[in-house]
Amino acid sequence: LASAVSEVLSGKGFTPGTVGNNEGGHVKSSQVRAAKTDDLGAQEIAKQLGGLPVVADASLPPGTVRVVLANDYTGPGSGLDGATITQQARVANAGSPNASTVPPPSPILTAGSE
């Protein structure tokens, strides 16, 4: 999930950083962490990821953000955001002679879906 979200953000022009598991304390909901909540870069990333809250984290240098994803995340890169095909699937199908006839994958269903 973190890699997919990082790919989405880098595709929008943001510089990717280290991708991995959260080494900080447990978070109940997804968030964008920045030195200050009024950081314009953090606010833009939060907007691009579906309106995540921006949380102050004094351990981060100004101009740096950390995106922490929890099990509630359904935004871009999650596979649950309404996108019908992922970048990886597009690349895999690009060389296929039948690439234009390959249907997109079915939407992901979860226990919370209707």
Side-chain angles (χ1 to χ4, degrees):
L1 178 60
S3 293
V5 172
S6 178
E7 185 177 313
V8 167
L9 290 173
S10 64
K12 294 180 181 283
F14 295 99
T15 303
T18 303
V19 176
N21 292 329
N22 180 29
E23 299 297 327
H26 176 74
V27 295
K28 292 184 179 187
S29 61
S30 300
Q31 54 192 248
V32 176
R33 302 175 76 79
K36 295 183 178 185
T37 59
D38 62 353
D39 181 287
L40 295 178
Q43 290 176 359
E44 182 60 25
I45 287 173
K47 177 182 165 188
Q48 294 293 326
L49 296 180
L52 296 180
V54 178
V55 176
D57 183 341
S59 71
L60 294 172
T64 302
V65 301
R66 177 176 294 136
V67 177
V68 181
L69 303 170
N71 62 0
D72 66 335
Y73 184 72
T74 60
S78 69
L80 300 172
D81 59 353
T84 57
I85 188 165
T86 65
Q87 179 67 24
Q88 186 176 21
R90 249 186 260 122
V91 170
N93 289 333
S96 170
N98 297 322
S100 62
T101 61
V102 176
S106 298
I108 297 172
L109 300 176
T110 65
S113 296
E114 293 181 0

